[in-house]
Amino acid sequence: LTSLALSPSLSGNRRTEEMAAVTDIDNPHLDPVETFSFIKLVSADGHEFFLDRRIAYECDTFRKMVEKDGFREGVTNEIKLPTITGKLLEKVIEYLYYKYKFTDSKVPIPEFPIDDDLALDLLLVANYLNLY
């Protein structure tokens, strides 16, 4: 970063912009929460999960519910899932993070762990949410 900021080949304006970008990242007072966009997922048993919008959009069903006109979820940024328990929703969220992390990965993708007692219920939930 230092060599970038001190590079003589950069024009004056561009150098100033890049130095400002470095300063913003290094600023201890920068609040990342101000730019964080989330969706609230509510399970059948009332558990609330606040999920990064980028991760939630790994599920096309969530994306469509939030982005399409006419859906209440688009206004409230809250998706109520009355047929999915908190335990199952937590596993779905783990999978969405896994999918986000390993999409277009150049490294070998590890197997996603699923407990035997959750397998059938997760299959039904995945079908309901159109997760592939």
Side-chain angles (χ1 to χ4, degrees), residues 8-96:
S9 63
L10 296 175
S11 68
N13 289 341
R14 187 168 172 214
R15 183 181 309 147
T16 305
E17 290 171 9
E18 290 185 15
M19 288 178 70
V22 170
T23 305
D24 286 345
I25 293 170
D26 295 332
N27 184 353
H29 303 292
L30 181 66
D31 187 5
V33 175
E34 290 179 8
T35 60
F36 180 72
S37 180
F38 67 89
I39 295 174
K40 180 178 171 183
L41 303 177
V42 182
S43 69
D45 47 359
H47 288 95
E48 297 178 344
F49 299 89
F50 293 86
L51 187 59
D52 185 323
R53 185 176 296 270
R54 296 170 302 172
I55 305 302
Y57 281 6
E58 289 295 321
C59 175
D60 286 333
T61 302
F62 293 160
R63 176 188 292 269
K64 289 176 184 175
M65 292 173 86
V66 172
E67 289 184 344
K68 293 266 181 164
D69 291 335
F71 280 92
R72 173 180 40 121
E73 291 83 0
V75 175
T76 64
N77 283 327
E78 176 178 304
I79 300 174
K80 293 184 180 177
L81 302 160
T83 59
I84 303 174
T85 65
K87 186 174 184 177
L88 292 172
L89 186 54
E90 182 177 18
K91 197 65 173 177
V92 167
I93 291 169
E94 285 178 30
Y95 173 73
L96 294 175

